[in-house]
Amino acid sequence: VSTQSTGKSRAEPSRAAANTSTTGHQEEKGRQMPPKSYSRYDQERFRAEKDTDEFKIDTLGGFASMKKPNAPGSSGPVSSGNRSSSHVQQKERQGSGRPVAQAKNPKRESKTPIVIVPASISSLINLYNVRDFLQDNRFVTAQEKEKQGYQKHSEVTISRKRDLVKMNALRGHAAPVTENQIVTVPYRIVDNPLRLDRKDWDRVVAVFVAGPGWQFKGWPGLMPDGNPVNIFTRMMAFHLKFEGLPTDKNVLKWDVTVLTVSKNKRHLDSVCALKFWEELDRFIVKNKRHLRF
């Protein structure tokens, strides 16, 4: 009994010493290797041969290393990124019941007539005073408008008041027997025809001719020698001048309707403006009935 007790007592100090040694070694190891905090930029510390070998992940690679999807008919593997992209594109095609072009309403073509005026301020009619003359039946020189502080715009829109009964009679439509049916018809006035596109040119109904031939430089339909006679077959041509002054020589050679205004008798301005509208209406009815006038 005494021998067993003695052996047991000797073994207990040995195990205690071993436990103490193990605990001390673990504490020393913990002090030597503190746990590292997570960093999204610290992926290079992974060992691709061991830690990621099972998943075949290249931690140092990027999107440039991904292979393009195989050509149609090939049996090669397709990467997961390409499968995801193809799946998204397929869902987008399936989600659209009709083409994008059909989803939008087509743009309606304008039916507003266009009138071209000279750009020069020395002309009797231009963007400075065209609204006063054609809309308000009152002639004011461009110099007077400039003194009044009028700011010139790239184009203007005038509103023409028309009697619906007379307008339908001019068009050949049956009009209801109702009085005081007044409608407003817009007209677009420009002085830079080079900005017009092909569809806009189809809506040009009149041009005010200043006289010099260079006014029509760059216009469609101009003859090789610069003669604008073909242009006047597609639109009405007008020339505005003061009463008592000679008419420009080019205007006399061309098919142009001359309008005369007085320098002082402003009550006659409405007569001149009315002549313009009567001549223009006859031209539109004959050549461009699809427009709104």
Side-chain angles (χ1 to χ4, degrees):
V1 173
S2 61
T3 303
Q4 295 177 354
S5 301
T6 304
K8 183 178 181 180
S9 62
R10 290 176 179 176
E12 290 177 355
S14 300
R15 288 195 295 271
N19 294 335
T20 304
S21 176
T22 302
T23 304
H25 179 70
Q26 293 177 352
E27 292 177 355
E28 181 179 1
K29 185 178 180 181
R31 288 193 299 270
Q32 292 178 355
M33 298 180 63
K36 293 186 178 180
S37 60
Y38 170 75
S39 174
R40 60 184 295 186
Y41 304 104
D42 199 19
Q43 297 185 13
E44 65 272 8
R45 64 188 178 88
F46 293 102
R47 294 172 298 173
E49 299 83 1
K50 182 178 180 181
D51 296 337
T52 62
D53 184 65
E54 179 181 357
F55 303 101
K56 305 298 182 182
I57 300 176
D58 182 9
T59 59
L60 301 180
F63 290 103
S65 63
M66 297 177 62
K67 295 182 179 180
K68 294 182 179 180
N70 296 322
S74 63
S75 59
V78 181
S79 63
S80 60
N82 291 330
R83 285 197 302 269
S84 176
S85 176
S86 301
H87 180 66
V88 172
Q89 293 177 0
Q90 184 178 2
K91 290 186 66 177
E92 290 177 352
R93 289 194 297 267
Q94 293 176 354
S96 178
R98 54 183 178 179
V100 179
Q102 295 181 3
K104 297 181 179 180
N105 295 328
K107 185 178 179 181
R108 297 179 58 183
E109 294 185 5
S110 175
K111 295 184 179 181
T112 302
I114 298 177
V115 177
I116 302 176
V117 296
S120 175
I121 193 174
S122 61
S123 175
L124 282 190
I125 188 167
N126 46 47
L127 288 181
Y128 281 95
N129 59 355
V130 65
R131 178 180 282 116
D132 297 87
F133 183 61
L134 298 183
Q135 177 177 297
D136 302 331
N137 299 327
R138 182 173 57 91
F139 178 78
V140 182
T141 63
Q143 291 75 15
E144 292 178 0
K145 297 290 292 187
E146 192 175 30
K147 290 180 181 179
Q148 296 172 5
Y150 179 81
Q151 298 295 327
K152 179 186 175 183
H153 302 282
S154 59
E155 62 179 63
V156 298
T157 301
I158 65 173
S159 299
R160 180 189 180 192
K161 294 182 179 181
R162 302 206 60 187
D163 185 281
L164 186 59
V165 176
K166 294 181 179 180
M167 184 172 64
N168 287 344
L170 183 64
R171 288 174 171 268
H173 298 165
V177 183
T178 306
E179 297 180 357
N180 300 327
Q181 289 192 355
I182 305 299
V183 296
T184 302
V185 181
Y187 282 76
R188 179 184 172 189
I189 315 296
V190 301
D191 67 349
N192 188 359
L194 300 182
R195 295 181 180 178
L196 302 177
D197 57 24
R198 182 182 58 84
K199 293 183 179 180
D200 292 336
W201 278 107
D202 183 60
R203 296 188 288 122
V204 176
V205 294
V207 56
F208 277 90
V209 179
W214 52 259
Q215 178 184 358
F216 305 99
K217 184 178 180 179
W219 285 39
L222 193 67
M223 296 183 66
D225 60 351
N227 196 326
V229 292
N230 289 339
I231 296 177
F232 302 145
T233 63
R234 305 176 182 178
M235 63 191 72
M236 279 291 298
F238 296 92
H239 175 71
L240 186 66
K241 74 179 192 68
F242 278 129
E243 184 182 12
L245 295 182
T247 305
D248 186 89
K249 295 181 180 180
N250 286 334
V251 174
L252 294 175
K253 295 186 300 183
W254 299 332
D255 184 15
V256 178
T257 300
V258 179
L259 304 175
T260 304
V261 293
S262 174
K263 289 186 177 180
N264 304 313
K265 302 176 182 179
R266 297 279 67 85
H267 62 282
L268 298 178
D269 294 342
S270 59
V271 178
C272 183
L274 180 60
K275 181 180 179 181
F276 166 82
W277 289 117
E278 289 178 348
E279 295 289 340
L280 184 60
D281 286 342
R282 280 195 287 267
F283 173 81
I284 296 178
V285 168
K286 183 179 180 181
N287 299 279
K288 300 191 177 185
R289 295 177 61 93
H290 63 284
L291 298 178
R292 183 173 60 249
F293 68 98

